[in-house]
Amino acid sequence: MANQDPKELLLKGMEELGLGDDPSQITVTLSVGGTTQWLRTYGEYFQQKYEDVLGVKIELEQNEWGTFQSKINSGDYQMGYMSWTIDYNDPISMLEIMKSDAGSIPTFWVNEEYDKLITQASKEMDEAKRTELYKQAEQILLEECPVCPVTNEVYHGFVYSYVKNISTSPFNTMGMKKVYTSGR
């Protein structure tokens, strides 16, 4: 599936579903969980990209978080924007949220082989074997699951040399608990 043209895949899917061959006749609602200007701008970016690349019209639906979460959990959406931040530096932190029993991001996707691989990887102590299990699971995820990774946030922080014990790991939730200054 790698390196296939997205528009060709869309046209093939439209043909299979009997939707014709004109992507401009398709309108999809993108639901987001917030009413901030940042989310509006982000949604407008998606609108433009989907139209430019695929020819599909995107309608933006902004909801307060509670309404959005309720709609997502009940499957009352066409396309939803959700984000997830990993807690620790291991692929399982991201891959386990897509298991059929996870419930974190309700896609309603179920793949028993994926679930089995993730469960097996979470117990595997051999690094090479665990990595191979992750690769197999990720391949299934990217080919079958109705998710589309779109961003990978990066934090750039600048710290004075006299600030000590500050964590530079993006996977840390310690905050400033053990930070101190010395040698100003």
Side-chain angles (χ1 to χ4, degrees):
M1 186 177 243
N3 299 322
Q4 291 189 13
D5 179 49
K7 190 154 188 180
E8 286 179 23
L9 290 171
L10 173 65
L11 292 170
K12 182 179 177 186
M14 288 176 64
E15 180 184 328
E16 289 174 6
L17 294 172
L19 297 174
D21 60 0
D22 184 2
S24 70
Q25 297 302 305
I26 295 177
T27 301
V28 177
T29 301
L30 170 62
S31 301
V32 297
T35 57
T36 64
Q37 184 57 47
W38 185 91
L39 273 171
R40 173 164 296 289
T41 301
Y42 202 60
E44 289 169 353
Y45 170 79
F46 278 109
Q47 284 177 313
Q48 177 151 8
K49 284 299 174 187
Y50 269 78
E51 190 157 352
D52 290 350
V53 175
L54 299 174
V56 174
K57 293 181 186 114
I58 297 292
E59 203 172 272
L60 186 59
E61 176 187 71
Q62 286 188 275
N63 291 293
E64 292 295 336
W65 179 254
T67 303
F68 172 77
Q69 191 68 37
S70 178
K71 286 181 155 195
I72 296 296
N73 286 339
S74 68
D76 183 20
Y77 67 99
Q78 286 185 301
M79 186 167 61
Y81 173 77
M82 296 187 86
S83 61
W84 190 263
T85 302
I86 62 173
D87 299 318
Y88 48 92
N89 191 14
D90 190 90
I92 196 76
S93 186
M94 186 61 75
L95 295 173
E96 72 182 348
I97 66 168
M98 298 313 299
K99 283 181 65 181
S100 60
D101 62 355
S104 304
I105 299 179
T107 62
F108 308 100
W109 176 70
V110 175
N111 183 297
E112 290 178 19
E113 180 65 18
Y114 180 84
D115 289 354
K116 181 179 154 195
L117 288 165
I118 295 302
T119 299
Q120 191 177 348
S122 70
K123 297 174 185 175
E124 180 58 60
M125 298 306 289
D126 181 281
E127 184 76 24
K129 289 178 184 176
R130 189 169 74 242
T131 299
E132 183 54 37
L133 293 166
Y134 288 152
K135 285 179 182 179
Q136 291 173 35
E138 185 179 50
Q139 188 67 38
I140 292 169
L141 181 70
L142 293 174
E143 288 181 3
E144 294 183 17
C145 186
V147 296
C148 178
V150 292
T151 62
N152 186 15
E153 294 183 14
V154 174
Y155 170 77
H156 296 284
F158 301 94
V159 179
Y160 288 105
S161 60
Y162 57 82
V163 176
K164 307 296 182 190
N165 209 32
I166 192 162
S167 173
T168 57
S169 169
F171 313 112
N172 189 323
T173 57
M174 186 172 81
M176 300 291 192
K177 184 176 181 179
K178 296 183 179 184
V179 175
Y180 63 94
T181 61
S182 175
R184 267 198 209 199

